[in-house]
Amino acid sequence: MINQLKEMFGLGPKVDYKQLTKEGAIILDVRTKGEYNSGHIKGSVNIPLDSLSKNLNKLKKDKTIINCCASGMRSASAKSLLKANGFQSTYNGGGWASLKNKIK
């Protein structure tokens, strides 16, 4: 249970987000449109968490997906939702600004 919580909140083994993006990972920003428009990672896809379940068809299950939001809470929920719907390679990248620094 503890390991599942650590994994869900991105506290597990260190993930090389820069390498994942080099390999073609999609950055999924699950903040609202307004939040996204005020600043985001270039090339990221914005699907707000509250509409993610209705828009899963916009994502490919064979791609690695790195979720981000403002703090990491919504991106953790997005990771769980994606996993429950058959997306195997998905990560909680946490807050978008922090993730942006990790992939530079």
Side-chain angles (χ1 to χ4, degrees), residues 31-44:
R31 296 176 298 150
T32 65
K33 294 281 184 205
E35 287 175 295
Y36 184 80
N37 289 337
S38 70
H40 58 271
I41 296 172
K42 185 178 178 183
S44 62

Side-chain angles (χ1 to χ4, degrees), residues 2-12 17 71-77 79-80 91-94:
I2 297 276
N3 287 337
Q4 287 175 317
L5 287 172
K6 283 183 177 180
E7 182 183 325
M8 188 169 94
F9 290 103
L11 301 173
Y17 294 110
S71 68
M73 295 302 289
R74 287 176 283 182
S75 54
S77 295
K79 177 183 175 181
S80 295
Y91 297 88
N92 177 5

Side-chain angles (χ1 to χ4, degrees), residues 2 10 30-31 34 39 43 49 52 57 61 63 65 67 80-81 83 85 90 92 101 104:
I2 297 276
V30 296
R31 296 176 298 150
L49 181 60
L52 183 57
N57 61 329
K61 289 186 178 182
K63 287 284 201 177
I65 300 173
N67 305 293
S80 295
L81 177 70
K83 286 271 190 190
N85 283 279
T90 181
N92 177 5
N101 288 328
K104 282 184 180 180

Side-chain angles (χ1 to χ4, degrees), residues 10-26:
L11 301 173
K14 190 109 170 126
V15 176
D16 187 345
Y17 294 110
K18 185 175 187 172
Q19 184 62 35
L20 289 174
T21 56
K22 283 182 182 178
E23 294 171 359
I26 296 166

